[in-house]
Amino acid sequence: MQSQDVAQRPAPPSVTGPVVDVEQAEAALVEHYPRLVRLAYLVLPPGTGRSRRVLTAHALTQRALPRSRTPAPVIPAQNGGPPFSGEAESLRDGRHRDPGYALVRLQVLRTALEAGPPLTAKAWPKRAQLPPLLPHVWGLKLFPRSGGADELALDQRLSTLSGPARAAYALRGLERLTDAEVCEVLAAAGVADPEGAVLEADGIPAQYGLLDSPEFDPCSLQARPTDLMRRRQHLKAALAAGAALLVCGALLGLPGEGWGPEGAAAPPYARNPAAQAALDPAKLTRVPPTAWRGSDRVDFSVWPARGDRTGDRALLRRALAVWARPGETVQVSATPGTLSGGPAGPPQLLFAGTVDAARVVILYDGLRIARYAEPKDGTQGAALDFARVDGAGRAEAGAVVLGRSDGNVRYLLAPWVKNAGERDLMKPGSGAMDLTLTGGVTAPLASPALRSGPCTSWNVLQVADGGRTRLLTDLGELVPARLTTGRPGSPGEVSGAAALHTWQPFACSLGTVRSAGVRQVNAWAFNEQPLPDASGTAAWVCTRAETWRGGGPRVLAQFHTPGGAYGAVAAKAENVPACGERDPHVLAGVLWKSKGGDWYLLAAGSRETASIRATGGVDGSARSSLLTVPAEQGAQAQLKGTLKDGRSLRGLR
């Protein structure tokens, strides 16, 4: 959390409006209570946990009622755009004109931003930073209903923003405010750099419709019990004995004096045979080193246990305990669509050893890869990462990320991979540089997932597998994504000169699918188009990123002119079958300026396209899979095509 974004200052005194009575403010708060609580919930830091975040959002909203007559701020209450989902037009207009709503909204926003900075020993905590006294729930945990994969992805993206940036995103989405109005509200709430917060919010997709999801509704809640076993034990024990046990347990688990027997794990919540077996290092599944040679199933299930700490029972016990019950200090991450709960039984050990400055354990439960990492010097800072790998075959189970540091990444390779190299995808003619392998662990190689700044190279891992060469790329997750080329349904490995040159101009577009749970990215050169000024032939390439969860594939139609270093994205879409095995067709267009200064609409479909027609800002047609029409700068057109079998084909969007 970036605490410096919220200045400790009141709203500008000159920006005041009509005086609001307490009764008027109370009426506005009661009438718009669900929206105000949702706004507070979105702005509050996600790291506090969903149950406390829900209660804090309600507490801050209820405390927004002023104690006396208060001038309302002259800031927008709500833009006159479309009403929120399920919201009546009259209600929207009433809020827009209500100074009471503007007053309580500003107070909710200000206190939610104050709750963001972490507590420090140098300053007294603000009331908003402390757990709420009211409302309070005993014996239950409350949290919003779960949304879909899109809502989960949006929540994860919002968690990476600062408090003011989350507030800017929420004001845009919930209140329909313009950027200028958002800056006014943030300034009145005490944000030091409102423009910076708006720019930071621009870094994530504008999926404002998802804010209406139950995922972000702290007024529609699910309830679950707290730890029943511990409550029963505490009721049977005396108060003094219980307090002593809690103090002793806390002292034994402090990382500053070395790891406790179960490391950073939270207290146990269940005592049953299956749960206990999953925590026993002696019951971990260990596969013989040559098991993969005679197995019909060649995937992660036939990986042997490797590393210099496979016999370190204390390390393995900590890893299993943290997986089952990660404590508050453990940093947990999971790819989209991946569950982070404990294993159902004893998992398989793939690796346990020292990697750079950490001790790392890699485990596999048949559906997920889990990586546990702790500093080897014994200081605080355990991490637990998950990746979904169900359905992985030999090609996808070729490598797992062991760790990243100093801009580099190390992989643990499959036992059937005998040698590996590092290749720059943007330099197809430069060849691959051999990587040293030690017990299946690669030497460090540059990771594009850690790079910032302009994209001038894209280093990938090249592995040799039984006479085949495969390319894998780090996209910021546990399992690297496989790169392929060719027609959807029958793609090939990126191994020959033609395949490498196909990927060259489009390598940097892989950055758009970082941390999206990507399993494979295919580049399909679906057509070529002569340029109207006779300067050469442009290439049309469709890249499709498939995910481990099945949903959420991302498709880019890209256009590359001769001599250009990068391809240009002509169209993009998500959750569409285009460029995939189910529908290996695509249609896209781009406005292109010739060397002579003339503008053209260039459009292309896959080679099964019989005709293309452009309407709207550009009018033209062609009875082929290519269309070239003179156009004006900035013109917008709609494309429609017809396949040779008579089916219609719409432009990718």
Side-chain angles (χ1 to χ4, degrees):
M1 188 63 60
Q2 301 177 10
S3 58
Q4 66 271 22
D5 289 343
V6 182
Q8 305 301 322
R9 63 177 186 183
S14 59
V15 185
T16 57
V19 175
V20 176
D21 293 326
V22 176
E23 293 78 11
Q24 183 182 358
E26 181 184 20
L29 191 150
V30 172
E31 182 180 7
H32 305 296
Y33 184 84
R35 173 180 291 271
L36 293 168
V37 177
R38 188 187 294 259
L39 177 63
Y41 182 85
L42 288 167
V43 177
L44 285 170
T48 57
R50 293 203 297 171
S51 181
R52 176 172 169 182
R53 192 174 164 198
V54 165
L55 295 177
T56 302
H58 282 274
L60 297 183
T61 304
Q62 294 172 16
R63 293 207 301 260
L65 186 67
R67 297 180 181 276
S68 59
R69 290 165 52 88
T70 308
V74 182
I75 52 178
Q78 194 258 354
N79 190 279
F84 200 67
S85 176
E87 180 181 30
E89 184 74 20
S90 60
L91 177 61
R92 189 269 320 268
D93 291 341
R95 187 172 64 253
H96 176 57
R97 297 188 297 266
D98 186 4
Y101 176 77
L103 176 63
V104 293
R105 182 187 66 186
L106 179 61
Q107 182 61 21
V108 168
L109 190 62
R110 181 181 294 136
T111 54
L113 289 171
E114 289 176 351
L119 295 173
T120 63
K122 298 181 179 180
W124 285 99
K126 292 182 176 294
R127 185 181 181 187
Q129 295 175 281
L130 300 175
L133 296 176
L134 291 174
H136 197 87
V137 179
W138 290 92
L140 287 176
K141 292 182 178 180
L142 302 177
F143 48 91
R145 298 183 180 275
S146 298
D150 292 337
E151 289 84 351
L152 177 61
L154 176 60
D155 191 43
Q156 291 175 340
R157 295 188 183 105
L158 289 174
S159 68
T160 64
L161 300 179
S162 65
R166 286 196 301 274
Y169 192 94
L171 289 171
R172 283 173 169 173
L174 292 179
E175 301 298 284
R176 304 296 194 268
L177 301 186
T178 65
D179 286 356
E181 294 168 341
V182 169
C183 289
E184 292 180 31
V185 176
L186 293 180
V191 174
D193 184 12
E195 293 81 7
V198 170
L199 290 176
E200 185 182 351
D202 288 336
I204 62 175
Q207 298 173 300
Y208 300 130
L210 298 180
L211 298 182
D212 192 27
S213 165
E215 177 79 21
F216 306 107
D217 184 8
C219 291
S220 178
L221 302 172
Q222 297 184 95
R224 293 293 184 271
T226 55
D227 197 325
L228 299 177
M229 292 294 294
R230 290 185 63 204
R231 284 166 50 189
R232 182 176 298 174
Q233 293 169 0
H234 289 173
L235 288 175
K236 293 179 179 179
L239 181 60
L245 287 174
L246 288 175
V247 171
C248 292
L251 292 176
L252 289 174
L254 284 177
E257 299 296 328
W259 291 102
E262 293 183 344
Y269 59 87
R271 295 291 181 183
N272 60 72
Q276 291 301 103
L279 298 177
D280 189 352
K283 295 185 179 181
L284 284 171
T285 302
R286 298 172 187 252
V287 176
T290 59
W292 65 274
R293 297 183 183 275
S295 175
D296 293 333
R297 177 180 173 182
V298 183
D299 55 14
F300 291 109
S301 66
V302 293
W303 277 37
R306 289 170 286 178
D308 59 358
R309 289 185 172 269
T310 55
D312 189 341
R313 293 174 62 89
L315 172 63
L316 298 177
R317 183 178 297 278
R318 291 196 296 272
L320 291 170
V322 171
W323 184 357
R325 307 184 307 276
E328 295 181 354
T329 62
V330 180
Q331 298 180 3
V332 181
S333 69
T335 56
T338 305
L339 300 177
S340 59
Q348 178 182 342
L349 177 63
L350 304 186
F351 179 88
T354 303
V355 181
D356 296 326
R359 290 188 288 260
V360 177
V361 178
I362 304 291
L363 301 165
Y364 171 63
D365 69 350
L367 297 175
R368 301 166 295 170
I369 295 288
R371 179 181 64 190
Y372 169 81
E374 66 181 35
K376 66 180 182 181
D377 59 5
T379 58
Q380 188 175 2
L384 185 63
D385 305 304
F386 296 94
R388 183 172 173 175
V389 292
D390 50 315
R394 181 170 183 146
E396 295 88 359
V400 168
V401 172
L402 282 181
R404 301 181 182 88
S405 63
D406 300 326
N408 297 318
V409 59
R410 285 184 188 268
Y411 294 98
L412 176 66
L413 301 184
W416 52 83
V417 174
K418 299 307 179 185
N419 55 72
E422 179 180 7
R423 173 185 288 279
D424 187 351
L425 202 57
M426 298 183 68
K427 297 177 181 178
S430 62
M433 181 179 64
D434 291 339
L435 288 172
T436 302
L437 300 183
T438 306
V441 178
T442 68
L445 65 151
S447 170
L450 299 178
R451 181 186 55 224
S452 60
C455 179
T456 57
S457 64
W458 194 277
N459 288 48
V460 297
L461 175 68
Q462 178 174 297
V463 297
D465 173 12
R468 292 189 177 185
T469 300
R470 293 192 176 95
L471 294 188
L472 306 172
T473 184
D474 183 16
L475 295 179
E477 298 172 330
L478 272 182
V479 181
R482 177 189 175 198
L483 300 181
T484 59
T485 59
R487 182 177 176 81
S490 57
E493 304 296 343
V494 186
S495 56
L500 290 169
H501 280 87
T502 297
W503 262 109
Q504 176 188 6
F506 311 107
C508 291
S509 67
L510 290 168
T512 63
V513 292
R514 285 192 182 105
S515 303
V518 173
R519 175 177 187 160
Q520 175 179 315
V521 186
N522 183 58
W524 173 37
F526 65 89
N527 217 328
E528 293 181 340
Q529 185 167 20
L531 297 175
D533 62 353
S535 60
T537 301
W540 284 95
V541 172
C542 185
T543 58
R544 180 181 176 91
E546 300 285 357
T547 66
W548 287 100
R549 64 189 182 277
R554 301 185 184 184
V555 181
L556 298 179
Q558 305 192 61
F559 180 76
H560 179 241
T561 55
Y566 307 98
V569 177
K572 58 183 178 180
E574 188 171 347
N575 284 317
V576 297
C579 287
E581 185 175 358
R582 288 176 47 205
D583 185 17
H585 305 288
V586 65
L587 173 63
V590 67
L591 282 177
W592 178 79
K593 183 179 180 181
S594 69
K595 294 181 179 179
D598 298 320
W599 286 89
Y600 295 88
L601 170 65
L602 305 181
S606 46
R607 297 187 186 274
E608 294 80 5
T609 304
S611 64
I612 302 175
R613 180 169 185 80
T615 57
V618 180
D619 189 41
S621 63
R623 299 188 63 81
S624 71
S625 61
L626 301 173
L627 173 65
T628 302
V629 183
E632 299 293 332
Q633 180 180 1
Q636 296 185 357
Q638 290 76 46
L639 297 176
K640 185 176 181 181
T642 303
L643 298 173
K644 293 179 181 179
D645 61 6
R647 289 182 296 159
S648 62
L649 180 66
R650 294 191 177 274
L652 184 70
R653 59 182 179 181

